[in-house]
Amino acid sequence: MNNMKIIILGAGQVGGTLAENLVGENNDITIVDCAPERLRDLQDKYDLRVVQGYASHPSTLQEAGAQDADMLVAVTNSDETNMIACQVAYTRFNTPNRVARIRSPEYLAVKDQLFNREACPVDHLIAPEELVTRYIRRLIEYPGALQVVGFADNKVGLVAVKAYYGGPLVGKALSALREHMPHVDTRVAAIFRRDRPIRPQGTTIIEADDEVFFVAASNHIRSVMSELQRLEKPYKRIMIVGGGNIGAGLAMALERQYSVKLIERDPARAEHLSELLEDTTVFCGDASDQELLSEEHIDQIDVFIAVTNEDEANIMSAMLAKRLGAKKVMVLIQRGAYVDLVQGGAIDIAISPQQATISALLTHVRRGDIVNVSSLRRGAAEAIEAIAHGDAATSKVVGREIGDIKLPPGTTIGAVVRGEEVLIAHDKTVIQQDDHVVMFLVDKKYIPDVERLFQPSPFFL
């Protein structure tokens, strides 16, 4: 398989993490940034080329090899630089695939007119705030879930839940799922026990505190969750801290169905938000102020969501809210190292915009018609949706029973989506042409093997 040449503009957290994910998967990576020390760090750690310079300048792009690159990924912290870099790469070097991170709602509001060959030639937009907002909304739709990822237009969900004492399945073997729920088809894709993956088999006994990943049709998610924990009541009252793009977007998305309060520190921004939002109560104040939280009946809040742009402020206000009686707290965290530190203690869910961005970027970089990639367990595991192409003669998967497909170690097929229908994978399920296959990988170093599995080959032996 020939190497894929990828240029990454911006060596910040997203650029660096993306490089780390792609290095060594038969990819030829060049990373561009103005800051020499960032580049030196990456060069010491990984096998990649670095170019120091201004990301959108033609001379920098030429030095980075834009003329024979397969893909350009612009993730500098400036929307404008990312847009112009795509423009220059297209006009001057004809680089085929151009992906840009765009954060400003101003550009996103007119994205259909703005981002096309005639105007600003960006093939794929990554909008981190929109991704995070959608992600948090899904967590709110499924109270008690740690992670919810949709595949095949949200027909299938991959859900992570912690098993609690009191869940009907806890202390029983996985095979009991079938007896408890004869009408619901689901597949447990992985179990993490004390942070180590266990291969799920019918005889595996579920213990309290196991993190269980299962695949089910979206309309069955709640019933499967109720087997692993006492089903939580739908949330009603939500408090959001931070009125930036994410906080405002969330309030807008939630205010019709829930009772929403939003706390914003900056008086002018709070004023603007109270005009913009129709049913949300906006307060100007500091969320780490105990009196404000008590006055606003924090003890009656179902979910407290801290999404300011300061990790420390988010963590502290959430810990305080939890102590004052908020039932669930979610926190937005930029720094990867903090995510592992806080999740699971006082803080129920830590959300990393980096992880959401990386998942979206990987979806565009993967080969072999992989249409959807999602990082799980903070990047340790991955879920992939791939389309089966070819026929029994050219494909290693089409026309075969799942039990006979040689999957890489630690890989399970969770579900197959055929048109509108969702088939939960069993050994006897036969994969057909154009099926969307949802897989779970406990170890992502096997991704290239999965890619190869789904590439039809004219010389199939």
Side-chain angles (χ1 to χ4, degrees):
M1 195 196 272
N2 54 350
N3 284 11
M4 189 147 160
K5 286 198 161 142
I6 302 171
I7 299 174
I8 300 173
L9 306 178
Q13 282 185 310
V14 168
T17 313
L18 184 63
E20 177 187 350
N21 273 279
L22 296 174
V23 149
E25 286 184 16
N26 278 347
N27 296 312
D28 198 336
I29 311 278
T30 303
I31 198 157
V32 176
D33 202 283
C34 298
E37 60 284 355
R38 281 244 193 71
L39 293 174
R40 259 200 311 276
D41 282 352
L42 286 166
Q43 206 170 16
D44 291 344
K45 275 208 216 126
Y46 308 113
D47 172 24
L48 42 75
R49 273 187 66 220
V50 299
V51 171
Q52 190 191 343
Y54 201 75
S56 56
H57 286 175
S59 55
T60 310
L61 287 167
Q62 179 148 19
E63 192 186 339
Q67 53 290 347
D68 56 0
D70 298 301
M71 179 178 259
L72 177 88
V73 182
V75 289
T76 73
N77 51 18
S78 147
D79 287 351
E80 291 74 15
T81 304
N82 296 342
M83 286 156 70
I84 297 296
C86 287
Q87 183 76 62
V88 174
Y90 174 70
T91 317
R92 182 91 179 69
F93 301 109
N94 217 349
T95 313
N97 297 301
R98 300 162 307 279
V99 182
R101 173 170 65 168
I102 305 292
R103 298 177 60 171
S104 164
E106 289 284 329
Y107 296 129
L108 293 171
V110 292
K111 62 182 175 196
D112 297 339
Q113 295 134 301
L114 191 55
F115 298 106
N116 56 57
R117 298 272 154 105
E118 285 65 58
C120 182
V122 173
D123 298 312
H124 301 292
L125 275 193
I126 306 281
E129 276 87 355
E130 280 184 3
L131 292 169
V132 169
T133 306
R134 220 173 351 184
Y135 185 79
I136 296 176
R137 272 183 64 185
R138 302 208 58 187
L139 287 171
I140 289 172
E141 279 168 41
Y142 297 105
L146 294 171
Q147 196 161 14
V148 181
V149 182
F151 290 100
D153 295 330
N154 285 341
K155 293 195 218 16
V156 176
L158 174 75
V159 184
V161 282
K162 222 180 182 61
Y164 291 121
Y165 287 113
L169 254 200
V170 177
K172 300 202 172 61
L174 265 185
S175 51
L177 250 179
R178 279 239 92 80
E179 298 147 32
H180 285 210
M181 301 192 306
H183 306 299
V184 172
D185 212 355
T186 181
R187 171 105 189 225
V188 172
I191 296 174
F192 285 86
R193 183 169 296 164
R194 292 186 282 284
D195 280 339
R196 303 189 54 93
I198 296 177
R199 196 175 169 75
Q201 286 159 328
T203 52
T204 308
I205 308 276
I206 293 196
E207 296 180 6
D209 281 345
D210 280 358
E211 204 173 309
V212 180
F213 282 87
F214 68 84
V215 176
S218 291
N219 50 343
H220 290 156
I221 290 176
R222 293 187 71 92
S223 28
V224 181
M225 285 178 64
S226 69
E227 287 290 309
L228 297 162
Q229 41 178 249
R230 288 195 196 90
L231 204 53
E232 299 185 24
K233 286 200 267 315
Y235 300 136
K236 286 198 194 79
R237 300 187 186 86
I238 295 176
M239 185 180 279
I240 299 170
V241 177
N245 293 339
I246 294 179
L250 262 179
M252 216 174 279
L254 298 171
E255 62 178 7
R256 299 251 152 76
Q257 293 145 294
Y258 303 90
S259 134
V260 180
K261 295 178 173 178
L262 189 151
I263 300 179
E264 164 58 49
R265 211 165 26 186
D266 173 27
R269 176 73 180 166
E271 181 76 20
H272 169 68
L273 287 172
S274 55
E275 286 160 25
L276 181 76
L277 297 162
E278 292 172 21
D279 303 319
T280 302
T281 318
V282 180
F283 299 91
C284 180
D286 184 350
S288 55
D289 171 2
Q290 232 164 328
E291 271 170 40
L292 173 67
L293 291 180
S294 304
E295 270 165 31
E296 288 316 315
H297 306 296
I298 185 73
D299 54 332
Q300 290 166 25
I301 293 289
D302 296 317
V303 196
F304 176 95
I305 309 171
V307 289
T308 74
N309 48 17
E310 291 174 33
D311 288 352
E312 289 82 358
N314 291 344
I315 294 169
M316 295 317 283
S317 69
M319 287 172 82
L320 180 65
K322 186 82 170 194
R323 209 184 72 213
L324 296 174
K327 293 189 195 51
K328 269 273 152 70
V329 300
M330 299 184 190
V331 175
L332 189 72
I333 294 188
Q334 307 280 346
R335 290 180 56 177
Y338 283 180
V339 177
D340 300 339
L341 264 182
V342 302
Q343 184 161 306
I347 287 170
D348 299 293
I349 294 180
I351 294 151
S352 145
Q354 263 69 27
Q355 217 52 75
T357 307
I358 297 297
S359 292
L361 284 167
L362 290 175
T363 301
H364 300 304
V365 180
R366 297 275 178 240
R367 284 168 282 193
D369 220 344
I370 288 188
V371 290
N372 205 327
V373 172
S374 195
S375 259
L376 306 163
R377 296 224 17 127
R378 310 181 273 299
E382 226 161 275
I384 290 183
E385 173 186 338
I387 303 175
H389 289 301
D391 53 33
T394 59
S395 160
K396 306 183 187 67
V397 290
V398 175
R400 286 172 173 64
E401 291 186 1
I402 286 177
D404 297 337
I405 296 172
K406 289 193 184 64
L407 292 169
T411 305
T412 26
I413 292 181
V416 176
V417 179
R418 188 169 294 161
E420 287 302 305
E421 127 183 74
V422 174
L423 310 169
I424 298 301
H426 297 290
D427 282 352
K428 294 279 174 236
T429 312
V430 175
I431 292 183
Q432 297 179 8
Q433 192 168 7
D434 297 330
D435 280 356
H436 284 237
V437 181
V438 178
M439 284 160 288
F440 187 94
L441 281 76
V442 169
D443 185 343
K444 59 175 198 227
K445 71 164 183 273
Y446 293 111
I447 288 170
D449 303 338
V450 173
E451 291 180 330
R452 275 195 289 276
L453 197 58
F454 278 83
Q455 272 177 333
S457 127
F459 322 107
F460 183 70
L461 301 170

